[in-house]
Amino acid sequence: MTRDYKEDFPIFADKKNEGLIYFDNAATAQKPRAVLEAVKNFYEADNANPLRGLYGLSVRATEAYQSARKTIAKFVGAAQAEEIIFTRNASESLNLVAYSYALSNLREDDEIVVSVMEHHSNILPWQMAAQKTGARLVWLECDKESGAIPESEYNKITDKTKIVALTHVSNVLGTTNPIKKVAALAHQKGAVIVADGAQALPHLSVNVQDLDVDFYAFSGHKFCAPTGIGGLYAKRELLEKMPPFLRGGEMIEYVTREGATWAAVPEKFEAGTVNVGGAVGMAAAAEYLMGIGMENIARHDNELAARLVQKMQAIPHVNIIGSKDGAKRCGIVTFTIDGVHPHDISSILDTEKIAIRAGHHCAQPLGQYLDVPATARASLYFYNTAEEVDRFCAALAKVRAWSGFKE
């Protein structure tokens, strides 16, 4: 990168975090000063309940919220701001599609195609929808060495398929799936595609119109926004036909004792008092990343991951899960060390002020398929450096010795 972006992140300047190598970005990214100040400024100057208030402060809160929606629409390439629904996170976005679209459109013996590499958030809602409607799940398997889904697997998308639910980037393998191609296959069969973009949006330049996805779910905290705010892109024509997911304040047009009529899209899907501060923060994060350039972020992350994979392969007893081409992993490198449990790997590295994730990464079907129930994961972002990669690998090479192994 052209400069040290850590300077934009107050957390790295805090004395408690001096020398910290933060390699857990796939779980959550750190927050730049621009995001923290945007949230602070909203609550200090413009905080009010939006949408219904007619006084000046409430009008400003409403304008901030709708402006944030326009920014996120630009960030993901939506045709119009009304195609962006604010949610708490990608999990809620995927549940929204399952409850509002799937339950209204699936019938007995219909098929939902999902991949074995999905995060639980893109499995459990479809299991629920299948159980309630009589539909069934059909699984796309991946190649255990490359982490890619073989071409032949896509033949499982048939005339029975009504929904294809596929991660854009795997949070374990770092695999980038060909969403645009799969969307075309789904549409040829009359199905819709639901893409989980939680791991893709932080690293890739995403244009939902070019991908031609019907739904695209994401979490703000993965791309430097606050926690508790996320979104769902959905084609307007689908949103118009879908019933609301949650019911209550703000999402109605008129209520009687007998029933109600719903507000227009997108308010129909945003029940209750909305998270304006979170939306403002997410918009600030999107503006910040667009200022750096998503193509620059992708290039940096790929170069850094390639360096990491190359150095890890030279360390005895370290086993990389999935592709050995680091430049195709979106900064996500998952691994094991012979004889050392992943939780111990994480704890040992923590003594060196290196933060990584260990466990099943909310992808237990993938772990069962690969026969690796737990792994360690290092995940990189644009504020990480080559020097940090080198220091990480130097520590990694000592983990077995620190665990009592003699070689």
Side-chain angles (χ1 to χ4, degrees):
M1 302 294 280
T2 56
R3 67 179 180 86
D4 183 4
Y5 282 97
K6 275 194 175 63
E7 297 173 354
D8 295 343
F9 292 78
I11 196 167
F12 295 120
D14 191 286
K15 289 184 178 180
K16 295 191 298 293
N17 302 316
E18 186 175 357
L20 172 67
I21 294 178
Y22 185 76
F23 277 7
D24 195 22
N25 295 287
T28 198
Q30 296 302 336
K31 320 308 175 194
R33 188 171 291 103
V35 170
L36 300 175
E37 289 180 351
V39 176
K40 178 174 179 284
N41 290 340
F42 169 76
Y43 283 115
E44 286 185 347
D46 297 318
N47 179 53
N49 209 313
L51 304 178
R52 301 292 184 186
L54 302 179
Y55 53 93
L57 194 59
S58 180
V59 170
R60 291 205 305 273
T62 301
E63 289 172 348
Y65 189 60
Q66 303 301 14
S67 176
R69 197 188 306 276
K70 291 177 183 177
T71 298
I72 297 303
K74 177 183 177 183
F75 187 48
V76 303
Q80 50 188 291
E82 289 76 16
E83 293 180 319
I84 300 298
I85 309 298
F86 285 128
T87 62
R88 290 184 303 137
N89 44 47
S91 296
E92 183 174 299
S93 297
L94 293 164
N95 273 275
L96 190 162
V97 181
Y99 278 93
S100 294
Y101 180 85
L103 294 186
S104 299
N105 289 276
L106 290 175
R107 300 292 180 268
E108 190 172 359
D109 295 327
D110 286 344
E111 293 180 350
I112 307 166
V113 173
V114 300
S115 85
V116 72
M117 67 178 72
E118 300 307 311
H119 189 283
H120 295 163
S121 293
N122 206 24
I123 295 175
L124 299 181
W126 312 118
Q127 289 179 340
M128 176 279 300
Q131 291 164 359
K132 288 183 177 293
T133 62
R136 71 185 189 96
L137 267 61
V138 174
W139 294 87
L140 302 176
E141 313 290 2
C142 67
D143 181 84
K144 294 182 179 181
E145 291 298 318
S146 70
I149 298 173
E151 287 286 329
S152 58
E153 284 294 293
Y154 293 118
N155 292 332
K156 293 177 179 178
I157 301 174
T158 70
D159 291 336
K160 285 190 172 184
T161 305
K162 301 306 175 193
I163 296 171
V164 178
L166 184 62
T167 186
H168 196 170
V169 170
S170 166
N171 74 311
V172 175
L173 300 171
T175 303
T176 301
N177 286 314
I179 293 295
K180 184 174 181 177
K181 182 179 77 173
V182 179
L185 291 173
H187 294 153
Q188 287 172 11
K189 300 299 183 179
V192 299
I193 181 168
V194 184
D196 177 358
Q199 295 296 338
L201 201 55
H203 300 277
L204 304 177
S205 179
V206 171
N207 186 302
V208 291
Q209 292 184 80
D210 179 63
L211 294 173
D212 198 22
V213 289
D214 299 290
F215 302 96
Y216 196 91
F218 53 92
S219 289
H221 71 99
K222 306 286 190 185
F223 62 87
C224 302
T227 53
I229 186 70
L232 173 71
Y233 159 80
K235 290 180 177 177
R236 179 72 179 262
E237 59 267 28
L238 294 173
L239 289 174
E240 296 286 2
K241 298 175 183 177
M242 290 161 53
F245 173 37
L246 301 172
R247 305 183 184 209
E250 308 295 354
M251 50 73 64
I252 53 87
E253 180 183 61
Y254 194 74
V255 177
T256 67
R257 293 190 182 198
E258 290 75 31
T261 56
W262 314 127
V265 170
E267 284 81 9
K268 179 172 72 169
F269 296 99
E270 296 177 356
T273 299
V274 294
N275 183 2
V276 188
V280 167
M282 187 161 66
E287 293 279 13
Y288 175 78
L289 295 183
M290 288 188 286
I292 297 171
M294 295 307 298
E295 66 286 351
N296 295 324
I297 291 174
R299 181 168 55 251
H300 172 82
D301 295 349
N302 288 336
E303 290 174 355
L304 210 59
R307 182 186 186 98
L308 177 59
V309 168
Q310 181 183 27
K311 286 181 171 291
M312 288 176 67
Q313 285 184 287
I315 302 173
H317 301 288
V318 172
N319 312 294
I320 294 173
I321 308 302
S323 174
K324 306 306 184 291
D325 186 348
K328 294 182 178 179
R329 298 190 63 120
C330 274
I332 296 171
V333 183
T334 310
F335 63 97
T336 60
I337 297 178
D338 295 337
V340 186
H341 193 281
H343 289 169
D344 293 331
I345 298 172
S346 178
S347 295
I348 291 168
L349 291 177
D350 183 49
T351 66
E352 297 294 298
K353 302 208 75 171
I354 299 171
I356 67 166
R357 179 81 27 174
H360 54 65
H361 312 297
C362 293
Q364 287 180 297
L366 178 61
Q368 294 160 4
Y369 175 70
L370 298 175
D371 197 26
V372 280
T375 58
R377 183 185 69 192
S379 50
L380 316 174
Y381 210 14
F382 64 93
Y383 42 68
N384 292 127
T385 66
E387 291 76 18
E388 289 179 327
V389 166
D390 295 347
R391 186 178 139 201
F392 168 81
C393 289
L396 196 67
K398 300 175 183 178
V399 166
R400 270 178 57 89
W402 290 337
S403 299
F405 291 91
K406 295 183 179 179
E407 59 177 40

